[in-house]
Amino acid sequence: MTVTKARAARTSRITRAVATAAALSAAALFAAPAAIAADAHRSPNSLPQHSGSATVFVQSDNTTANTVAAYARAADGTLTRKGVYSTGGKGGMLPGTVADHLASQGSLAYDRHHQLLYAVNAGSDTVTVFAVHGTHLRRVQEISSGGSFPVSVTFHGDRVYVANTLGGGSVQGFVRTGERLVKVPSWHRNLGLDKGTSAVGQISFTPDGSKLVVTTKASGQSIDVFPLDGAHGGPSAQPVVTSTPGAVPFGFAFDSAGRIRVTEAGTNSVGTFTVGRDGRLTAKGTVPTGQTATCWAVTAGDHLYVSNAGSGTLSGYRVGTQGQLAALGNTATDAGTVDAAASSDGRYLYVQTGVKGVVDEFRVGPKGALTAIGSVVVPGAVGGEGIVAG
Protein backbone atom coordinates (compact mmCIF):
# COMPACT_ATOMS: atom_id res chain seq x y z
CA MET A 1 0.00 0.00 0.00
CA THR A 2 1.38 3.44 -0.91
CA VAL A 3 1.85 6.21 1.59
CA THR A 4 -0.93 8.19 -0.14
CA LYS A 5 -3.39 5.32 0.14
CA ALA A 6 -2.38 4.68 3.73
CA ARG A 7 -3.12 8.26 4.68
CA ALA A 8 -6.47 8.09 2.91
CA ALA A 9 -7.40 4.93 4.80
CA ARG A 10 -6.45 6.50 8.10
CA THR A 11 -8.55 9.54 7.29
CA SER A 12 -11.64 7.43 6.63
CA ARG A 13 -11.22 5.58 9.91
CA ILE A 14 -10.66 8.45 12.25
CA THR A 15 -10.34 12.00 10.96
CA ARG A 16 -7.92 13.89 8.79
CA ALA A 17 -6.49 15.64 11.86
CA VAL A 18 -5.85 12.39 13.69
CA ALA A 19 -4.33 10.74 10.64
CA THR A 20 -1.94 13.60 9.99
CA ALA A 21 -0.92 13.81 13.63
CA ALA A 22 -0.30 10.07 13.81
CA ALA A 23 1.78 9.74 10.65
CA LEU A 24 4.64 8.23 12.61
CA SER A 25 2.29 5.60 14.04
CA ALA A 26 0.58 4.42 10.88
CA ALA A 27 0.70 0.76 11.77
CA ALA A 28 -1.03 1.37 15.07
CA LEU A 29 -3.76 3.43 13.47
CA PHE A 30 -4.50 0.73 10.90
CA ALA A 31 -5.10 -1.66 13.80
CA ALA A 32 -7.91 0.45 15.24
CA PRO A 33 -11.23 -1.30 14.56
CA ALA A 34 -14.16 0.69 13.23
CA ALA A 35 -16.17 -0.44 16.23
CA ILE A 36 -14.09 1.81 18.48
CA ALA A 37 -15.98 4.84 17.22
CA ALA A 38 -19.25 3.39 18.49
CA ASP A 39 -17.94 3.18 22.05
CA ALA A 40 -18.42 6.92 22.55
CA HIS A 41 -22.17 6.49 22.03
CA ARG A 42 -22.67 3.36 24.13
CA SER A 43 -24.35 3.62 27.51
CA PRO A 44 -22.08 2.59 30.41
CA ASN A 45 -24.93 0.38 31.63
CA SER A 46 -24.73 -1.64 28.41
CA LEU A 47 -21.06 -2.48 28.77
CA PRO A 48 -20.23 -6.13 29.42
CA GLN A 49 -18.90 -7.22 32.79
CA HIS A 50 -15.18 -7.99 32.90
CA SER A 51 -12.93 -9.93 35.22
CA GLY A 52 -11.63 -6.63 36.64
CA SER A 53 -15.05 -5.61 37.99
CA ALA A 54 -14.14 -6.50 41.60
CA THR A 55 -10.83 -4.68 41.75
CA VAL A 56 -9.46 -1.43 43.14
CA PHE A 57 -6.31 0.21 41.79
CA VAL A 58 -4.35 2.81 43.77
CA GLN A 59 -1.49 4.98 42.54
CA SER A 60 1.40 5.67 44.92
CA ASP A 61 2.76 8.74 43.10
CA ASN A 62 6.11 7.80 44.62
CA THR A 63 8.71 10.33 43.51
CA THR A 64 11.42 7.68 43.19
CA ALA A 65 9.40 5.17 41.19
CA ASN A 66 5.67 5.54 40.63
CA THR A 67 3.61 2.39 41.15
CA VAL A 68 0.03 1.14 41.02
CA ALA A 69 -1.16 -1.32 43.66
CA ALA A 70 -3.88 -3.78 42.65
CA TYR A 71 -6.47 -5.00 45.16
CA ALA A 72 -9.14 -7.66 44.95
CA ARG A 73 -12.48 -6.71 46.48
CA ALA A 74 -14.14 -9.40 48.60
CA ALA A 75 -17.90 -9.89 48.78
CA ASP A 76 -18.00 -7.80 51.96
CA GLY A 77 -16.11 -4.93 50.27
CA THR A 78 -12.77 -5.39 52.03
CA LEU A 79 -9.57 -5.27 50.00
CA THR A 80 -6.64 -7.67 49.63
CA ARG A 81 -3.50 -6.54 47.82
CA LYS A 82 -2.58 -8.79 44.90
CA GLY A 83 0.32 -6.94 43.31
CA VAL A 84 2.29 -3.71 42.91
CA TYR A 85 3.24 -2.62 39.39
CA SER A 86 5.77 -0.05 38.22
CA THR A 87 4.55 2.63 35.83
CA GLY A 88 8.06 3.10 34.48
CA GLY A 89 7.93 6.76 35.48
CA LYS A 90 8.24 8.91 38.58
CA GLY A 91 5.61 10.54 40.72
CA GLY A 92 5.73 14.23 41.52
CA MET A 93 5.41 16.50 44.52
CA LEU A 94 4.28 20.10 44.31
CA PRO A 95 6.01 22.48 46.76
CA GLY A 96 4.23 22.85 50.09
CA THR A 97 1.98 19.81 49.72
CA VAL A 98 1.69 17.20 52.47
CA ALA A 99 -1.30 14.90 51.99
CA ASP A 100 -1.87 15.61 48.29
CA HIS A 101 1.36 15.80 46.32
CA LEU A 102 -0.42 16.29 42.99
CA ALA A 103 -3.14 18.62 44.31
CA SER A 104 -5.56 17.15 41.79
CA GLN A 105 -8.35 14.66 41.18
CA GLY A 106 -8.36 11.90 38.57
CA SER A 107 -4.67 11.03 38.19
CA LEU A 108 -5.70 7.42 37.53
CA ALA A 109 -8.43 6.40 35.05
CA TYR A 110 -9.88 2.93 34.43
CA ASP A 111 -11.47 2.05 31.08
CA ARG A 112 -13.49 -0.99 32.17
CA HIS A 113 -14.81 -1.75 28.69
CA HIS A 114 -11.39 -2.03 27.07
CA GLN A 115 -9.67 -3.15 30.28
CA LEU A 116 -7.06 -0.39 30.21
CA LEU A 117 -5.69 1.71 33.05
CA TYR A 118 -4.14 5.17 32.56
CA ALA A 119 -1.73 6.61 35.15
CA VAL A 120 0.05 9.97 35.13
CA ASN A 121 3.73 10.24 36.05
CA ALA A 122 4.01 13.85 37.19
CA GLY A 123 7.75 13.66 37.85
CA SER A 124 8.46 12.29 34.37
CA ASP A 125 5.91 14.28 32.34
CA THR A 126 4.49 11.01 30.97
CA VAL A 127 1.40 8.82 30.99
CA THR A 128 1.50 5.04 31.42
CA VAL A 129 -0.99 2.65 29.83
CA PHE A 130 -1.62 -0.71 31.52
CA ALA A 131 -3.61 -3.64 30.15
CA VAL A 132 -5.80 -5.03 32.95
CA HIS A 133 -6.24 -8.77 33.48
CA GLY A 134 -8.18 -9.13 36.73
CA THR A 135 -5.75 -7.87 39.38
CA HIS A 136 -2.74 -8.32 37.08
CA LEU A 137 -1.43 -5.30 35.18
CA ARG A 138 0.72 -5.47 32.05
CA ARG A 139 2.52 -2.23 31.22
CA VAL A 140 1.94 -1.47 27.55
CA GLN A 141 3.24 2.05 27.00
CA GLU A 142 4.71 5.17 28.56
CA ILE A 143 4.15 8.28 26.48
CA SER A 144 4.83 12.01 26.86
CA SER A 145 1.96 13.94 28.44
CA GLY A 146 2.52 16.88 26.10
CA GLY A 147 3.22 19.29 28.93
CA SER A 148 4.69 19.81 32.39
CA PHE A 149 3.58 17.87 35.49
CA PRO A 150 0.52 15.88 34.36
CA VAL A 151 -2.05 15.53 37.14
CA SER A 152 -5.33 14.29 35.68
CA VAL A 153 -6.43 11.97 32.85
CA THR A 154 -9.81 11.19 31.29
CA PHE A 155 -11.19 9.08 28.43
CA HIS A 156 -14.31 8.56 26.36
CA GLY A 157 -14.48 5.96 23.62
CA ASP A 158 -11.16 6.09 21.78
CA ARG A 159 -10.19 9.58 22.99
CA VAL A 160 -7.92 10.23 25.96
CA TYR A 161 -7.00 13.65 27.37
CA VAL A 162 -4.40 14.64 29.94
CA ALA A 163 -4.16 17.87 31.93
CA ASN A 164 -0.75 19.28 32.83
CA THR A 165 -0.68 21.66 35.77
CA LEU A 166 2.63 23.58 35.47
CA GLY A 167 4.03 25.89 32.82
CA GLY A 168 0.77 27.79 32.52
CA GLY A 169 -1.34 24.64 32.37
CA SER A 170 -2.20 22.67 29.26
CA VAL A 171 -4.43 19.97 27.82
CA GLN A 172 -3.19 17.27 25.44
CA GLY A 173 -5.36 14.83 23.50
CA PHE A 174 -4.62 11.31 22.27
CA VAL A 175 -6.43 8.71 20.21
CA ARG A 176 -6.45 5.13 21.46
CA THR A 177 -5.66 2.48 18.89
CA GLY A 178 -5.93 -0.97 20.44
CA GLU A 179 -3.97 -0.81 23.69
CA ARG A 180 -1.81 2.16 22.77
CA LEU A 181 -2.13 5.94 22.63
CA VAL A 182 -1.14 8.18 19.73
CA LYS A 183 -0.63 11.85 20.48
CA VAL A 184 -2.57 14.28 18.30
CA PRO A 185 -0.62 17.58 18.18
CA SER A 186 -3.66 19.55 17.00
CA TRP A 187 -5.47 18.49 20.17
CA HIS A 188 -3.13 20.50 22.40
CA ARG A 189 -4.44 23.56 24.22
CA ASN A 190 -2.53 25.95 26.45
CA LEU A 191 -4.58 27.27 29.35
CA GLY A 192 -2.58 30.47 29.67
CA LEU A 193 -2.39 30.50 33.47
CA ASP A 194 0.31 31.71 35.85
CA LYS A 195 3.42 29.67 35.01
CA GLY A 196 4.70 29.82 38.56
CA THR A 197 1.81 28.05 40.26
CA SER A 198 -0.11 24.80 40.14
CA ALA A 199 -3.04 25.52 37.88
CA VAL A 200 -5.25 22.51 37.18
CA GLY A 201 -7.51 20.57 39.54
CA GLN A 202 -9.09 18.04 37.20
CA ILE A 203 -9.99 17.22 33.61
CA SER A 204 -12.97 15.10 32.58
CA PHE A 205 -15.29 14.44 29.68
CA THR A 206 -18.94 15.22 30.18
CA PRO A 207 -20.96 11.98 30.40
CA ASP A 208 -22.02 12.19 26.74
CA GLY A 209 -18.43 12.79 25.57
CA SER A 210 -19.28 16.04 23.79
CA LYS A 211 -17.19 18.35 25.97
CA LEU A 212 -14.09 18.51 28.15
CA VAL A 213 -14.27 20.19 31.56
CA VAL A 214 -11.17 21.56 33.28
CA THR A 215 -11.03 23.20 36.71
CA THR A 216 -8.29 25.77 37.28
CA LYS A 217 -6.99 26.91 40.63
CA ALA A 218 -4.52 29.56 41.77
CA SER A 219 -4.50 32.38 39.21
CA GLY A 220 -7.31 30.88 37.15
CA GLN A 221 -10.13 30.01 39.55
CA SER A 222 -12.46 29.05 36.75
CA ILE A 223 -14.27 26.12 35.18
CA ASP A 224 -13.26 25.82 31.53
CA VAL A 225 -15.42 23.87 29.07
CA PHE A 226 -14.06 22.85 25.66
CA PRO A 227 -16.78 21.73 23.22
CA LEU A 228 -15.47 18.94 20.99
CA ASP A 229 -15.83 18.84 17.24
CA GLY A 230 -17.83 15.67 16.58
CA ALA A 231 -17.14 12.10 17.63
CA HIS A 232 -13.47 12.29 16.67
CA GLY A 233 -12.81 16.01 16.57
CA GLY A 234 -10.56 18.05 18.77
CA PRO A 235 -11.42 20.68 21.37
CA SER A 236 -12.52 24.17 20.48
CA ALA A 237 -9.74 26.70 20.04
CA GLN A 238 -10.82 28.51 23.20
CA PRO A 239 -12.82 27.22 26.16
CA VAL A 240 -16.04 28.62 27.49
CA VAL A 241 -14.82 30.07 30.80
CA THR A 242 -16.93 30.36 33.92
CA SER A 243 -15.02 32.49 36.40
CA THR A 244 -15.42 31.66 40.11
CA PRO A 245 -13.21 34.14 41.95
CA GLY A 246 -12.47 33.14 45.53
CA ALA A 247 -14.04 29.71 45.15
CA VAL A 248 -10.89 27.84 43.99
CA PRO A 249 -12.68 25.07 42.03
CA PHE A 250 -10.80 21.82 42.52
CA GLY A 251 -12.39 18.41 41.84
CA PHE A 252 -15.79 17.52 40.47
CA ALA A 253 -18.17 14.68 39.71
CA PHE A 254 -21.24 14.32 37.51
CA ASP A 255 -24.55 13.09 38.86
CA SER A 256 -26.98 10.85 36.95
CA ALA A 257 -28.61 13.89 35.31
CA GLY A 258 -25.28 15.24 34.05
CA ARG A 259 -25.03 18.10 36.53
CA ILE A 260 -21.50 19.00 37.68
CA ARG A 261 -20.84 18.96 41.43
CA VAL A 262 -17.69 21.03 41.99
CA THR A 263 -15.69 21.20 45.21
CA GLU A 264 -14.70 24.77 46.03
CA ALA A 265 -11.61 24.74 48.23
CA GLY A 266 -11.61 28.49 48.78
CA THR A 267 -15.05 28.51 50.41
CA ASN A 268 -15.19 24.84 51.55
CA SER A 269 -18.39 24.22 49.67
CA VAL A 270 -19.97 22.26 46.84
CA GLY A 271 -21.24 24.15 43.81
CA THR A 272 -23.76 22.71 41.35
CA PHE A 273 -23.84 23.64 37.65
CA THR A 274 -25.70 22.51 34.57
CA VAL A 275 -23.87 22.38 31.23
CA GLY A 276 -25.45 24.01 28.19
CA ARG A 277 -25.08 22.74 24.63
CA ASP A 278 -22.64 25.56 23.94
CA GLY A 279 -20.54 24.77 27.02
CA ARG A 280 -21.92 27.57 29.17
CA LEU A 281 -22.49 26.71 32.81
CA THR A 282 -25.50 27.75 34.84
CA ALA A 283 -25.02 27.90 38.60
CA LYS A 284 -27.71 26.04 40.56
CA GLY A 285 -26.61 26.70 44.10
CA THR A 286 -23.83 26.21 46.62
CA VAL A 287 -23.80 24.13 49.81
CA PRO A 288 -21.13 24.70 52.49
CA THR A 289 -19.52 21.64 54.04
CA GLY A 290 -18.47 23.33 57.28
CA GLN A 291 -15.15 21.48 56.92
CA THR A 292 -11.61 22.39 55.85
CA ALA A 293 -9.89 21.88 52.47
CA THR A 294 -12.90 20.53 50.56
CA CYS A 295 -11.22 19.35 47.38
CA TRP A 296 -12.41 15.98 45.95
CA ALA A 297 -15.79 14.62 44.87
CA VAL A 298 -17.24 11.22 43.97
CA THR A 299 -20.74 9.92 43.30
CA ALA A 300 -22.06 6.55 44.47
CA GLY A 301 -25.53 5.92 43.11
CA ASP A 302 -27.72 8.83 44.19
CA HIS A 303 -25.21 10.03 46.76
CA LEU A 304 -22.33 12.48 46.59
CA TYR A 305 -19.30 12.42 48.86
CA VAL A 306 -16.65 15.12 49.09
CA SER A 307 -13.26 14.83 50.77
CA ASN A 308 -12.08 17.40 53.30
CA ALA A 309 -8.31 17.01 53.58
CA GLY A 310 -7.84 19.47 56.44
CA SER A 311 -10.63 17.98 58.55
CA GLY A 312 -9.96 14.33 57.81
CA THR A 313 -13.62 13.77 56.89
CA LEU A 314 -16.06 12.93 54.14
CA SER A 315 -19.18 15.06 53.75
CA GLY A 316 -22.10 13.08 52.35
CA TYR A 317 -25.17 14.27 50.43
CA ARG A 318 -28.25 12.69 48.96
CA VAL A 319 -29.05 13.98 45.47
CA GLY A 320 -32.74 14.87 45.20
CA THR A 321 -34.96 14.38 42.16
CA GLN A 322 -34.58 18.06 41.28
CA GLY A 323 -30.83 18.03 41.92
CA GLN A 324 -30.91 19.48 45.41
CA LEU A 325 -28.33 18.24 47.94
CA ALA A 326 -29.48 17.01 51.35
CA ALA A 327 -26.66 16.76 53.88
CA LEU A 328 -26.03 13.33 55.41
CA GLY A 329 -23.36 14.48 57.87
CA ASN A 330 -19.62 13.95 58.09
CA THR A 331 -17.69 10.70 58.43
CA ALA A 332 -14.19 10.56 59.90
CA THR A 333 -11.30 9.06 57.92
CA ASP A 334 -7.57 8.70 58.48
CA ALA A 335 -5.64 11.96 58.27
CA GLY A 336 -5.44 13.83 54.98
CA THR A 337 -8.58 12.74 53.09
CA VAL A 338 -7.95 13.02 49.36
CA ASP A 339 -9.13 11.19 46.22
CA ALA A 340 -11.93 8.59 46.40
CA ALA A 341 -13.63 5.97 44.23
CA ALA A 342 -16.92 4.10 44.43
CA SER A 343 -17.47 0.52 43.31
CA SER A 344 -19.45 0.23 40.07
CA ASP A 345 -22.51 -1.01 41.97
CA GLY A 346 -22.35 1.96 44.37
CA ARG A 347 -22.19 -0.27 47.47
CA TYR A 348 -18.64 0.53 48.58
CA LEU A 349 -16.50 3.66 48.83
CA TYR A 350 -12.70 3.70 48.95
CA VAL A 351 -10.88 6.82 50.14
CA GLN A 352 -7.20 7.68 49.91
CA THR A 353 -5.74 9.43 52.93
CA GLY A 354 -2.40 10.97 52.17
CA VAL A 355 -0.71 11.56 55.51
CA LYS A 356 0.10 7.86 55.99
CA GLY A 357 -0.80 6.49 52.56
CA VAL A 358 -3.86 4.58 53.79
CA VAL A 359 -7.02 3.65 51.86
CA ASP A 360 -10.10 3.58 54.08
CA GLU A 361 -12.93 1.21 53.13
CA PHE A 362 -16.63 2.01 53.65
CA ARG A 363 -19.94 0.30 53.01
CA VAL A 364 -22.59 2.63 51.57
CA GLY A 365 -25.99 2.12 53.20
CA PRO A 366 -29.32 2.39 51.34
CA LYS A 367 -29.75 5.96 52.58
CA GLY A 368 -26.10 6.91 52.03
CA ALA A 369 -24.73 6.39 55.53
CA LEU A 370 -21.11 5.16 55.54
CA THR A 371 -19.91 2.25 57.68
CA ALA A 372 -16.17 1.72 58.08
CA ILE A 373 -15.20 -1.86 57.18
CA GLY A 374 -11.40 -1.67 57.23
CA SER A 375 -8.34 -0.05 55.71
CA VAL A 376 -5.17 -0.96 53.83
CA VAL A 377 -1.74 0.67 53.67
CA VAL A 378 -0.54 1.29 50.10
CA PRO A 379 3.23 0.76 49.70
CA GLY A 380 5.15 4.01 49.19
CA ALA A 381 1.97 6.07 48.89
CA VAL A 382 2.38 8.83 51.49
CA GLY A 383 1.01 11.93 49.78
CA GLY A 384 -0.17 9.82 46.84
CA GLU A 385 -3.27 10.41 44.76
CA GLY A 386 -5.15 8.36 42.20
CA ILE A 387 -7.71 5.64 42.91
CA VAL A 388 -10.28 3.78 40.77
CA ALA A 389 -12.65 0.92 41.47
CA GLY A 390 -14.41 -1.74 39.41
Side-chain angles (χ1 to χ4, degrees), residues 71 77-80 334 350-351 353 357-362 372-378:
Y71 293 85
T78 56
L79 302 179
T80 300
D334 279 281
Y350 301 97
V351 185
T353 61
V358 171
V359 171
D360 289 335
E361 308 158 350
F362 296 93
I373 56 176
S375 63
V376 292
V377 177
V378 182

mmCIF file of all heavy atoms in Angstrom, residues 71 77-80 334 350-351 353 357-362 372-378:
data_model
loop_
_atom_site.group_PDB
_atom_site.id
_atom_site.type_symbol
_atom_site.label_atom_id
_atom_site.label_comp_id
_atom_site.label_asym_id
_atom_site.label_seq_id
_atom_site.Cartn_x
_atom_site.Cartn_y
_atom_site.Cartn_z
ATOM 1 N N TYR A 71 -5.770 -4.358 44.049
ATOM 2 C CA TYR A 71 -6.466 -5.002 45.160
ATOM 3 C C TYR A 71 -7.683 -5.763 44.640
ATOM 4 O O TYR A 71 -8.403 -5.285 43.755
ATOM 5 C CB TYR A 71 -6.935 -3.966 46.182
ATOM 6 C CG TYR A 71 -5.806 -3.274 46.904
ATOM 7 C CD1 TYR A 71 -5.194 -2.160 46.344
ATOM 8 C CD2 TYR A 71 -5.356 -3.740 48.138
ATOM 9 C CE1 TYR A 71 -4.142 -1.518 46.997
ATOM 10 C CE2 TYR A 71 -4.310 -3.102 48.793
ATOM 11 C CZ TYR A 71 -3.708 -2.007 48.225
ATOM 12 O OH TYR A 71 -2.665 -1.380 48.875
ATOM 13 N N GLY A 77 -16.678 -6.228 50.606
ATOM 14 C CA GLY A 77 -16.114 -4.929 50.275
ATOM 15 C C GLY A 77 -14.692 -4.707 50.723
ATOM 16 O O GLY A 77 -14.076 -3.706 50.335
ATOM 17 N N THR A 78 -14.136 -5.574 51.556
ATOM 18 C CA THR A 78 -12.773 -5.388 52.033
ATOM 19 C C THR A 78 -11.767 -5.727 50.928
ATOM 20 O O THR A 78 -12.069 -6.481 50.001
ATOM 21 C CB THR A 78 -12.488 -6.253 53.274
ATOM 22 O OG1 THR A 78 -12.758 -7.625 52.958
ATOM 23 C CG2 THR A 78 -13.365 -5.814 54.430
ATOM 24 N N LEU A 79 -10.585 -5.160 51.048
ATOM 25 C CA LEU A 79 -9.573 -5.267 50.005
ATOM 26 C C LEU A 79 -8.402 -6.149 50.425
ATOM 27 O O LEU A 79 -7.986 -6.133 51.584
ATOM 28 C CB LEU A 79 -9.035 -3.875 49.644
ATOM 29 C CG LEU A 79 -10.060 -2.838 49.168
ATOM 30 C CD1 LEU A 79 -9.365 -1.518 48.868
ATOM 31 C CD2 LEU A 79 -10.824 -3.336 47.954
ATOM 32 N N THR A 80 -7.852 -6.878 49.444
ATOM 33 C CA THR A 80 -6.640 -7.665 49.633
ATOM 34 C C THR A 80 -5.672 -7.337 48.502
ATOM 35 O O THR A 80 -6.034 -7.463 47.319
ATOM 36 C CB THR A 80 -6.939 -9.175 49.614
ATOM 37 O OG1 THR A 80 -7.856 -9.491 50.652
ATOM 38 C CG2 THR A 80 -5.658 -9.983 49.813
ATOM 39 N N ASP A 334 -8.946 8.451 58.063
ATOM 40 C CA ASP A 334 -7.572 8.695 58.482
ATOM 41 C C ASP A 334 -7.178 10.097 58.037
ATOM 42 O O ASP A 334 -7.871 10.747 57.253
ATOM 43 C CB ASP A 334 -6.646 7.633 57.878
ATOM 44 C CG ASP A 334 -6.666 6.332 58.666
ATOM 45 O OD1 ASP A 334 -6.009 6.283 59.711
ATOM 46 O OD2 ASP A 334 -7.345 5.377 58.237
ATOM 47 N N TYR A 350 -14.106 3.855 48.570
ATOM 48 C CA TYR A 350 -12.702 3.702 48.951
ATOM 49 C C TYR A 350 -12.027 5.067 48.883
ATOM 50 O O TYR A 350 -12.121 5.762 47.866
ATOM 51 C CB TYR A 350 -12.015 2.703 48.028
ATOM 52 C CG TYR A 350 -12.689 1.347 48.074
ATOM 53 C CD1 TYR A 350 -13.630 0.986 47.116
ATOM 54 C CD2 TYR A 350 -12.434 0.462 49.115
ATOM 55 C CE1 TYR A 350 -14.291 -0.230 47.182
ATOM 56 C CE2 TYR A 350 -13.086 -0.764 49.193
ATOM 57 C CZ TYR A 350 -14.017 -1.097 48.230
ATOM 58 O OH TYR A 350 -14.676 -2.302 48.316
ATOM 59 N N VAL A 351 -11.374 5.453 49.990
ATOM 60 C CA VAL A 351 -10.883 6.817 50.136
ATOM 61 C C VAL A 351 -9.395 6.817 50.457
ATOM 62 O O VAL A 351 -8.962 6.214 51.447
ATOM 63 C CB VAL A 351 -11.651 7.548 51.263
ATOM 64 C CG1 VAL A 351 -11.219 9.002 51.341
ATOM 65 C CG2 VAL A 351 -13.157 7.449 51.040
ATOM 66 N N THR A 353 -6.117 8.442 51.915
ATOM 67 C CA THR A 353 -5.742 9.426 52.928
ATOM 68 C C THR A 353 -4.226 9.565 52.867
ATOM 69 O O THR A 353 -3.496 8.598 53.049
ATOM 70 C CB THR A 353 -6.211 8.992 54.330
ATOM 71 O OG1 THR A 353 -5.593 7.762 54.692
ATOM 72 C CG2 THR A 353 -7.723 8.817 54.347
ATOM 73 N N GLY A 357 -0.645 7.346 53.725
ATOM 74 C CA GLY A 357 -0.798 6.486 52.557
ATOM 75 C C GLY A 357 -1.752 5.334 52.765
ATOM 76 O O GLY A 357 -1.515 4.216 52.310
ATOM 77 N N VAL A 358 -2.872 5.608 53.456
ATOM 78 C CA VAL A 358 -3.855 4.584 53.794
ATOM 79 C C VAL A 358 -5.098 4.758 52.922
ATOM 80 O O VAL A 358 -5.516 5.882 52.622
ATOM 81 C CB VAL A 358 -4.254 4.685 55.282
ATOM 82 C CG1 VAL A 358 -5.431 3.783 55.612
ATOM 83 C CG2 VAL A 358 -3.058 4.346 56.165
ATOM 84 N N VAL A 359 -5.709 3.627 52.504
ATOM 85 C CA VAL A 359 -7.016 3.653 51.861
ATOM 86 C C VAL A 359 -8.041 3.141 52.857
ATOM 87 O O VAL A 359 -7.941 2.008 53.352
ATOM 88 C CB VAL A 359 -7.046 2.791 50.587
ATOM 89 C CG1 VAL A 359 -8.481 2.650 50.069
ATOM 90 C CG2 VAL A 359 -6.164 3.403 49.511
ATOM 91 N N ASP A 360 -9.018 3.972 53.175
ATOM 92 C CA ASP A 360 -10.103 3.582 54.081
ATOM 93 C C ASP A 360 -11.249 2.993 53.263
ATOM 94 O O ASP A 360 -11.596 3.493 52.190
ATOM 95 C CB ASP A 360 -10.601 4.793 54.874
ATOM 96 C CG ASP A 360 -9.600 5.257 55.914
ATOM 97 O OD1 ASP A 360 -8.783 4.441 56.356
ATOM 98 O OD2 ASP A 360 -9.633 6.454 56.273
ATOM 99 N N GLU A 361 -11.860 1.938 53.809
ATOM 100 C CA GLU A 361 -12.928 1.212 53.133
ATOM 101 C C GLU A 361 -14.259 1.465 53.856
ATOM 102 O O GLU A 361 -14.328 1.382 55.084
ATOM 103 C CB GLU A 361 -12.633 -0.289 53.147
ATOM 104 C CG GLU A 361 -11.249 -0.647 52.631
ATOM 105 C CD GLU A 361 -10.783 -2.013 53.134
ATOM 106 O OE1 GLU A 361 -11.439 -2.597 54.032
ATOM 107 O OE2 GLU A 361 -9.740 -2.485 52.640
ATOM 108 N N PHE A 362 -15.315 1.745 53.069
ATOM 109 C CA PHE A 362 -16.628 2.011 53.651
ATOM 110 C C PHE A 362 -17.703 1.263 52.875
ATOM 111 O O PHE A 362 -17.630 1.126 51.654
ATOM 112 C CB PHE A 362 -16.954 3.509 53.610
ATOM 113 C CG PHE A 362 -16.037 4.368 54.432
ATOM 114 C CD1 PHE A 362 -14.914 4.947 53.860
ATOM 115 C CD2 PHE A 362 -16.297 4.589 55.780
ATOM 116 C CE1 PHE A 362 -14.062 5.741 54.608
ATOM 117 C CE2 PHE A 362 -15.451 5.385 56.535
ATOM 118 C CZ PHE A 362 -14.331 5.958 55.957
ATOM 119 N N ALA A 372 -17.565 2.119 58.284
ATOM 120 C CA ALA A 372 -16.174 1.715 58.078
ATOM 121 C C ALA A 372 -16.057 0.202 58.163
ATOM 122 O O ALA A 372 -16.596 -0.427 59.080
ATOM 123 C CB ALA A 372 -15.276 2.373 59.121
ATOM 124 N N ILE A 373 -15.353 -0.403 57.191
ATOM 125 C CA ILE A 373 -15.196 -1.862 57.182
ATOM 126 C C ILE A 373 -13.736 -2.282 57.160
ATOM 127 O O ILE A 373 -13.433 -3.475 57.141
ATOM 128 C CB ILE A 373 -15.938 -2.492 55.981
ATOM 129 C CG1 ILE A 373 -15.470 -1.873 54.662
ATOM 130 C CG2 ILE A 373 -17.445 -2.346 56.147
ATOM 131 C CD1 ILE A 373 -16.089 -2.520 53.420
ATOM 132 N N GLY A 374 -12.813 -1.316 57.194
ATOM 133 C CA GLY A 374 -11.395 -1.667 57.229
ATOM 134 C C GLY A 374 -10.546 -0.632 56.531
ATOM 135 O O GLY A 374 -11.027 0.430 56.115
ATOM 136 N N SER A 375 -9.271 -0.937 56.409
ATOM 137 C CA SER A 375 -8.339 -0.053 55.707
ATOM 138 C C SER A 375 -7.120 -0.855 55.281
ATOM 139 O O SER A 375 -6.840 -1.930 55.832
ATOM 140 C CB SER A 375 -7.922 1.127 56.594
ATOM 141 O OG SER A 375 -7.224 0.662 57.735
ATOM 142 N N VAL A 376 -6.405 -0.344 54.286
ATOM 143 C CA VAL A 376 -5.168 -0.959 53.825
ATOM 144 C C VAL A 376 -4.112 0.124 53.667
ATOM 145 O O VAL A 376 -4.434 1.274 53.349
ATOM 146 C CB VAL A 376 -5.358 -1.700 52.487
ATOM 147 C CG1 VAL A 376 -6.251 -2.926 52.660
ATOM 148 C CG2 VAL A 376 -5.913 -0.779 51.413
ATOM 149 N N VAL A 377 -2.861 -0.239 53.884
ATOM 150 C CA VAL A 377 -1.739 0.675 53.671
ATOM 151 C C VAL A 377 -1.172 0.400 52.286
ATOM 152 O O VAL A 377 -0.832 -0.745 51.956
ATOM 153 C CB VAL A 377 -0.660 0.490 54.742
ATOM 154 C CG1 VAL A 377 0.524 1.412 54.455
ATOM 155 C CG2 VAL A 377 -1.222 0.768 56.135
ATOM 156 N N VAL A 378 -1.064 1.432 51.462
ATOM 157 C CA VAL A 378 -0.540 1.292 50.104
ATOM 158 C C VAL A 378 0.961 1.534 50.130
ATOM 159 O O VAL A 378 1.415 2.582 50.621
ATOM 160 C CB VAL A 378 -1.216 2.305 49.148
ATOM 161 C CG1 VAL A 378 -0.700 2.132 47.717
ATOM 162 C CG2 VAL A 378 -2.733 2.134 49.201
#
